[in-house]
Amino acid sequence: MQMQQLGLLDQPETLNQLAGSLQPLVAALSPSWQQVLQQEPLQSKLQLLDHWLKQRLSAGAVIYPANPFYALTLSQPEDIKVVILGQDPYHGPGQAQGLAFSVPDYIARPPSLRNIYEELHLEYPEYANQPPQHDLSAWAKQGVLLLNTSLTVEDGKAASHANKGWEYISDGILRHILTLATPKVFMLWGNHAQAKQPLIDEYATAPVLSLHSNHPSPLSAKRKPTPFIGNGHFMQCNEWLEQHGEKPISWL
């Protein structure tokens, strides 16, 4: 769909900007997610983050996305069966949605997402001519948690909100879902995501499959020894889920 049809041609960058406090966004989450975020130390960390983000906004910073918790609105903790970890949101106007690797359909596909679809079409060649979705919310609604370790970023400044407290929140989310009974697949692409493997090993109480490869970024997607392109992760994920009594993900 064209941006002009959506009435977004003039100011698409305003659609995905954080406008104020995190508190109403947390209050709008389901009771299950609220319970997770209200536990200590997550609640205190969120309060500190909220204060810092409001200071940045007051200083004129443009912060993305509008709802850092959007991924949590699309599936409940007990329904999550696949986790795909990113580092931080896209930092361009109109891009970040609150879902790792995803952008709205009217935004051009970023390079990493192009490589994700290149891999999908290798694994499922029968769908190679099907137009790809840029918005991955359909995955999230099937139980795929598309989680960045930092949930906000400033315009044009990659990793600008790293080490500001978001990592406590994303780790707390991961610890919680690891304690639930649903079998889970973790797709750990790149060193940043693979650094979560010890946390997975420590807290998992149900069967877990961890799939490791390079990041889908053009800088690493085809590099040895574990290139992203050709990793077969999407089919491996679905085969494992079916073996554990779970419905596979419709990726395309």
Side-chain angles (χ1 to χ4, degrees), residues 159-209:
S160 51
H161 289 188
N163 302 315
K164 301 298 184 183
W166 277 123
E167 292 82 2
Y168 289 97
I169 308 305
S170 53
D171 279 1
I173 291 168
L174 293 176
R175 283 195 298 269
H176 178 74
I177 64 172
L178 282 163
T179 65
L180 302 177
T182 309
K184 294 168 189 68
V185 178
F186 280 77
M187 295 187 177
L188 303 177
W189 301 333
N191 292 335
H192 186 83
Q194 289 161 21
K196 301 299 180 184
Q197 187 63 57
L199 183 147
I200 295 168
D201 294 339
E202 181 176 356
Y203 288 95
T205 58
V208 168
L209 173 66

Side-chain angles (χ1 to χ4, degrees), residues 211-223:
L211 299 173
H212 290 213
S213 78
N214 289 355
H215 193 275
S217 161
L219 296 174
S220 60
K222 297 183 180 181
R223 286 187 177 179

Side-chain angles (χ1 to χ4, degrees), residues 12 34 59 63 102 109 144 150 155 159 168 180 182 190 192 197-198 203 231 234 247 250:
Q34 287 187 50
I63 298 174
S102 178
R109 266 181 298 157
V144 180
S150 294
D155 180 57
Y168 289 97
L180 302 177
T182 309
H192 186 83
Q197 187 63 57
Y203 288 95
N231 66 18
F234 297 100
K247 185 177 179 180
S250 178

Side-chain angles (χ1 to χ4, degrees), residues 125-153:
E126 64 272 26
Y127 295 105
N129 295 323
Q130 180 176 310
Q133 300 295 309
H134 304 183
D135 182 341
L136 304 180
S137 58
W139 294 7
K141 292 174 183 176
Q142 298 175 72
V144 180
L145 180 63
L146 296 155
L147 185 69
N148 286 312
T149 54
S150 294
L151 300 189
T152 55
V153 72

Side-chain angles (χ1 to χ4, degrees), residues 29-30 32-33 69-82 99 137-146 173 177:
L29 293 172
S30 70
S32 295
W33 282 121
F69 305 109
Y70 182 55
L72 307 186
T73 71
L74 299 179
S75 55
Q76 297 308 303
E78 60 273 13
D79 298 328
I80 291 168
K81 52 191 176 183
V82 181
L99 297 173
S137 58
W139 294 7
K141 292 174 183 176
Q142 298 175 72
V144 180
L145 180 63
L146 296 155
I173 291 168
I177 64 172

